Amino acid sequence: QVQLVESGGGSVQSGGSLRLSCAAYGYTVSNYCMGWFRQAPGKEREGVAVIDSAGSTSYVDSVKGRFTISQDNAKNTLYLQMNSLKPEDTGMYYCAADVYGYCRGSWSSRRDYFGYWGQGTQVTVSS
């Protein structure tokens, strides 16, 4: 049974940093496409960053240059380093896993391809 457990969320001021972690159980993170998504109150869940089995990464335009997705294969854990945080980054952040090694879809449809989701971790950025 696949289980994804996020941690690392919290409250920070604008310009601050956080690192989110996603520990995977029953699933090998290095073999598949994995991603981070977020959902603000009243808004749809949106993709933030993905990493495929080759280690290639992709980011939504709003976080490019500020967020970094990575993984530790020995710990079977996915990370999201978030720097220069802005109030508009506030939301629930979810780790997600696909069953393919490459990341499918575009940023407008990507969430439809991920079959496994964590419970989420809250990030709040104050101005």
Side-chain angles (χ1 to χ4, degrees), residues 12-80:
V12 296
Q13 290 191 329
S14 182
S17 298
L18 284 172
R19 188 177 81 154
L20 306 183
S21 299
C22 172
Y25 303 92
Y27 183 92
T28 303
V29 300
S30 61
N31 288 349
Y32 304 99
C33 172
M34 294 201 71
W36 286 98
F37 293 73
R38 65 186 179 189
Q39 187 167 18
K43 294 188 176 181
E44 290 189 347
R45 191 171 300 187
E46 65 170 353
V48 174
V50 294
I51 183 168
D52 68 16
S53 60
S56 296
T57 59
S58 180
Y59 301 90
V60 70
D61 285 346
S62 60
V63 307
K64 283 181 180 177
R66 300 188 299 122
F67 290 12
T68 303
I69 187 171
S70 64
Q71 58 193 36
D72 185 327
N73 296 338
K75 295 182 178 180
N76 208 33
T77 299
L78 181 74
Y79 300 100
L80 184 68

Side-chain angles (χ1 to χ4, degrees), residues 76-126:
N76 208 33
T77 299
L78 181 74
Y79 300 100
L80 184 68
Q81 177 66 45
M82 305 186 294
N83 299 327
S84 302
L85 282 161
K86 304 176 181 180
E88 51 263 43
D89 294 318
T90 294
M92 187 69 78
Y93 281 69
Y94 298 90
C95 170
D98 197 353
V99 295
Y100 285 84
Y102 60 96
C103 297
R104 299 177 287 170
S106 63
W107 285 115
S108 61
S109 65
R110 194 152 271 162
R111 67 177 184 268
D112 297 335
Y113 293 98
F114 285 80
Y116 301 107
W117 294 85
Q119 82 288 350
T121 185
Q122 178 68 38
V123 172
T124 303
V125 185
S126 58

